[in-house]
């Protein structure tokens, strides 16, 4: 009984290492093709549209309501100590440092990452990926690189967009619901903000974009078992992306604000 337990534990550990090794190998091959400047510009433009432009409505709604809820929740506590004026600063720092980058990445992982896995997974189970190899085309160059570059460009832009919308949501509640003067709210929003807050958020969104693309493509390439397998791979890609995004956010927050 004890021997079987350790055998299963060892197998799980080996599978864990193999999974991370596969992610690292795919990431390395993607960088290799990027360095060789073999980017299909048409595919890159198409992916930028799919990743960025079509995500604008859902990012807008997510960021707007996040800013509004954050202002309302802050007001609930701040009014007890007559510190409503600091709601603007709290919303601004929370949005730019954490909620803007993280929520945008989670939305894109759930929407775009899942679509990437489903698309590549369908191509894998129907042997279209094998056909690419037979024709002498590297699937990483053809399928991964345009998506990787599109996410790397568009996710930081979506994060800036989410930051702006989130601040507008907080402003709407602060001025029109809580009665804080507009000039005072704007001043208390931008006074505490530093360039570090914006840049750390953009840096994290760049890392999140790599996580989303590599995990989604890797799960797509290892799909097997037909339509059911595509569904399982899509679910796994979203779950693993969410966990890695939250973990990376925790790591970089500790690094930027408690180490550097």
């Amino acid at each position: 009984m004890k021997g079987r337990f350790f055998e299963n534990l060892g197998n799980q550990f080996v599978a864990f290492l193999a999974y991370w090794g596969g992610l690292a190998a795919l990431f390395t091959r993607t960088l290799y093709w990027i360095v060789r400047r073999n980017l299909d510009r048409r595919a890159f433009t198409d992916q930028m549209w799919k990743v960025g432009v079509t995500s604008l409505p859902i990012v807008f709604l997510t960021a707007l309501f996040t800013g509004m809820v954050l202002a309302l929740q802050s007001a609930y506590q701040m009014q007890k100590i007559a510190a409503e004026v600091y709601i603007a600063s709290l919303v601004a720092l929370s949005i730019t440092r954490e909620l803007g980058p993280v929520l945008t990445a989670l939305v894109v992982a759930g929407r775009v990452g899942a679509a990437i896995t489903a698309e590549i997974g369908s191509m894998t189970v129907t042997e279209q990926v094998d056909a690419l190899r037979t024709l002498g085309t590297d699937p990483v160059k053809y399928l991964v690189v345009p998506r990787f570059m599109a996410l790397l460009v568009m996710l930081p832009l979506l994060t800036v967009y989410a930051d702006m919308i989130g601040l507008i949501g907080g402003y709407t509640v602060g001025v029109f619901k809580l009665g804080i003067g507009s000039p005072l709210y704007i001043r208390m929003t931008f006074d505490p903000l530093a360039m570090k807050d914006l840049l750390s958020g953009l840096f994290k969104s760049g890392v999140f974009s790599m996580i989303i693309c590599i995990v989604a493509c890797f799960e797509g390439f290892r799909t097997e078992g037909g339509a059911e397998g595509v569904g399982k791979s899509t679910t796994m890609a979203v779950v693993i992306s969410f966990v890695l995004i939250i973990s990376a956010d925790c790591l970089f927050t500790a690094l930027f604000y408690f180490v550097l």
Side-chain angles (χ1 to χ4, degrees):
M1 187 69 180
K2 186 182 292 185
R4 177 165 295 182
F5 170 77
F6 284 109
E7 181 182 350
N8 292 334
L9 187 64
N11 290 335
Q12 291 293 328
F13 183 67
V14 170
F16 176 79
L17 292 180
Y19 189 89
W20 277 96
L23 290 178
L26 180 58
F27 180 64
T28 304
R29 289 176 62 191
T30 304
L31 294 182
Y32 168 78
W33 285 112
I34 292 173
V35 171
R36 292 193 60 177
R37 300 180 180 179
N38 280 307
L39 178 63
D40 184 337
R41 293 184 180 180
R42 183 174 180 180
F44 172 58
T45 306
D46 289 344
Q47 291 301 321
M48 286 180 68
W49 177 270
K50 291 180 181 176
V51 171
V53 178
T54 59
S55 298
L56 287 175
I58 190 170
V59 171
F60 174 88
L61 293 174
T62 304
L64 180 68
F65 289 124
T66 298
M68 295 176 73
V69 169
L70 189 58
L72 289 170
Q73 288 288 0
S74 302
Y76 182 74
Q77 294 297 328
M78 291 295 188
Q79 285 177 336
K80 296 179 180 178
I81 56 175
E84 296 95 330
V85 69
Y86 294 106
I87 292 172
S89 302
L90 181 62
V91 171
L93 292 175
S94 300
I95 291 289
T96 55
R97 288 182 180 180
E98 296 297 329
L99 297 178
V102 172
L103 291 179
T104 304
L106 294 180
V107 167
V108 171
R111 182 184 173 279
V112 178
I116 290 174
T117 303
E119 186 178 3
I120 297 180
S122 299
M123 294 179 68
T124 300
V125 297
T126 56
E127 300 182 351
Q128 294 180 58
V129 174
D130 292 334
L132 287 174
R133 294 192 181 96
T134 304
L135 295 172
T137 301
D138 191 314
V140 175
K141 171 189 169 185
Y142 183 73
L143 297 173
V144 180
V145 172
R147 291 166 173 79
F148 185 91
M149 293 301 297
L151 274 163
L152 194 59
V153 172
M154 297 308 295
L155 191 56
L157 293 177
L158 285 172
T159 298
V160 174
Y161 173 72
D163 289 347
M164 294 171 56
I165 299 301
L167 294 182
I168 292 173
Y171 173 88
T172 303
V173 171
V175 173
F176 298 105
K177 168 66 177 173
L178 305 176
I180 302 173
S182 178
L184 177 60
Y185 190 94
I186 293 174
R187 181 166 63 82
M188 293 302 292
T189 294
F190 291 102
D191 275 357
L193 285 179
M195 186 59 69
K196 179 181 180 181
D197 300 320
L198 179 61
L199 294 180
S200 64
L202 293 179
F203 176 82
K204 288 192 286 189
S205 67
V207 175
F208 297 158
S209 70
M210 298 181 198
I211 291 173
I212 294 168
C213 183
I214 295 301
V215 170
C217 293
F218 183 69
E219 287 292 338
F221 284 133
R222 70 200 296 259
T223 300
E224 56 186 15
E228 184 179 356
V230 173
K232 289 181 180 178
S233 294
T234 302
T235 303
M236 284 296 295
V238 173
V239 171
I240 293 172
S241 295
F242 276 28
V243 172
L244 291 182
I245 286 169
I246 299 297
S247 302
D249 179 61
C250 180
L251 173 66
F252 288 120
T253 298
L255 182 65
F256 286 132
Y257 292 99
F258 294 95
V259 178
L260 298 179

